[in-house]
Amino acid sequence: MGAGYIKLHRSMRDWEWYNDLPVFRLFTSMLFMANWKDKRWQGIVIKRGQFISGRKALAIETGLSEKQVRTAIEKLKSTNELATEKAKGGTLFTIANYSKYQDDSDVSGQEKATEKAKERPGKGQATATTKERKKERKEEESMSQPFASELVTRWNTLAAEQNLACVKTISKSRTSKISSRVKEGLSMEQFVRVLEEIAVSDFLLGKSRSWKVSFDWLIDNDRNWLKVYEGTYRNAPQSQTPFSAGRFETAQERRQREIKEQEERLLRKFGGVADDAADKTADANARFVEATELFRREEG
């Protein structure tokens, strides 16, 4: 991911796991993923030869199954090639002999040449500045990699549940866009909220039309994920049906409603006045009161 390279010495052919293709594939991928210098990420220091990821993200990165990744990790740990520990955002992987694999005299010579280039005035100074900018971009990409892996892992979990397109490769373009979204304010907590909004949105899940939300659409700009986060694509509120009464009421509320409905029925039955005669009105009201009290006693 990004510019630069790693070193694979010819002696690797004598390595005990060289012919174990899943282990070799995973280990070389880890060499690419590991930090080449100490860096801070979300309040923690990820040292040279370390990186944060998870089994699902590694499976996507390498094309191996999660079972193959898990088995390969155990084999590498059994021969002290690799160490793991829990960390914020996933698992912290440490390649035990990273410096042994990647350091040699050529590296020192290259570093000295770079320092001399920085000291040159004029054109040489401009060249050094360009290299520094490239280095900064490379460091930013390396820093965003664990975050990108975690985002992809969480997205693929939702995608598998909701029949959405899974992310199979964390490309340079995707990493760059994720880095831009993070700079604009996207956090892991907000992304989890975005996934929760997607899970209950008929529009985003393609239930109301042929289009479905995708990972690339979410990270494409600073508007798409934010609109989902703010509830723009929530389903319209459902109007109450005639049969919704009592669906969520308590037993006491249901009892009060039934008493009120019975009183209304009694009022309609006994409360009518045949004419304007006062005696008939009083008689009708008396019958209503008597019937209501009887109903209350029976219910009590």
Side-chain angles (χ1 to χ4, degrees), residues 4-274:
Y5 57 88
I6 63 169
K7 297 179 181 180
L8 290 179
H9 199 274
R10 286 189 176 87
S11 62
M12 179 70 77
R13 297 179 62 188
D14 299 325
W15 186 41
E16 61 183 299
W17 300 117
Y18 179 75
N19 293 319
D20 191 322
L21 295 184
V23 177
F24 184 78
R25 170 65 173 163
L26 179 66
F27 187 72
T28 52
S29 295
M30 286 180 166
L31 289 176
F32 281 112
M33 297 169 71
N35 285 349
W36 66 277
K37 63 180 293 185
D38 294 359
K39 298 182 181 70
R40 292 189 62 83
W41 180 75
Q42 294 192 359
I44 62 175
V45 176
I46 304 176
K47 297 181 179 180
R48 174 177 168 84
Q50 294 182 328
F51 65 97
I52 293 179
S53 187
R55 286 201 301 269
K56 289 184 178 180
L58 288 172
I60 295 170
E61 174 74 19
T62 60
L64 301 173
S65 67
E66 286 189 49
K67 182 178 180 180
Q68 287 176 313
V69 169
R70 182 171 60 250
T71 301
I73 289 173
E74 292 304 318
K75 288 180 178 179
L76 291 170
K77 290 172 66 176
S78 70
T79 54
N80 298 319
E81 307 281 354
L82 186 70
T84 62
E85 60 180 284
K86 291 183 179 180
K88 181 180 179 181
T91 300
L92 178 65
F93 292 91
T94 303
I95 300 175
N97 296 313
Y98 181 83
S99 293
K100 177 181 177 182
Y101 301 133
Q102 299 302 306
D103 286 352
D104 61 19
S105 58
D106 291 340
V107 175
S108 299
Q110 184 178 5
E111 289 177 348
K112 291 179 180 177
T114 301
E115 290 301 321
K116 289 181 179 179
K118 290 180 181 179
E119 295 173 358
R120 295 191 194 107
K123 184 177 178 180
Q125 187 64 43
T127 303
T129 303
T130 301
K131 289 182 178 180
E132 289 173 358
R133 289 173 181 170
K134 289 181 179 179
K135 181 179 178 181
E136 289 174 358
R137 287 197 296 269
K138 181 180 178 181
E139 289 179 358
E140 288 178 359
E141 290 174 357
S142 180
M143 289 290 286
S144 65
Q145 182 177 327
F147 189 88
S149 297
E150 182 64 16
L151 252 63
V152 168
T153 298
R154 292 179 183 271
W155 166 264
N156 283 344
T157 299
L158 172 71
E161 294 174 352
Q162 301 294 342
N163 195 29
L164 299 173
C166 290
V167 174
K168 296 182 179 180
T169 303
I170 307 177
S171 64
K172 182 178 179 180
S173 174
R174 284 171 171 163
T175 302
S176 176
K177 288 183 178 180
I178 291 171
S179 179
S180 296
R181 302 296 81 80
V182 171
K183 289 179 181 178
E184 294 158 359
L186 175 62
S187 67
M188 186 60 69
E189 291 76 14
Q190 288 173 318
F191 189 74
V192 170
R193 174 68 179 275
V194 166
L195 298 182
E196 291 173 349
E197 290 285 344
I198 293 173
V200 294
S201 170
D202 291 346
F203 176 82
L204 295 174
L205 293 176
K207 295 181 179 179
S208 59
R209 54 183 292 183
S210 58
W211 179 85
K212 293 182 180 181
V213 65
S214 68
F215 183 80
D216 289 324
W217 179 84
L218 273 182
I219 65 171
D220 187 56
N221 52 55
D222 61 350
R223 302 181 302 277
N224 292 348
W225 75 267
L226 190 58
K227 288 192 290 186
V228 178
Y229 178 77
E230 293 177 344
T232 303
Y233 302 103
R234 290 178 184 172
N235 297 339
Q238 298 294 322
S239 58
Q240 278 197 332
T241 66
F243 305 99
S244 63
R247 184 179 178 190
F248 299 111
E249 65 186 4
T250 64
Q252 182 179 4
E253 290 171 339
R254 182 172 64 253
R255 182 181 182 86
Q256 291 173 349
R257 176 175 56 80
E258 291 172 348
I259 291 174
K260 183 178 180 180
E261 291 173 353
Q262 181 65 10
E263 289 175 346
E264 291 174 352
R265 286 195 295 271
L266 291 171
L267 178 62
R268 288 193 296 271
K269 182 176 181 181
F270 299 113
V273 180

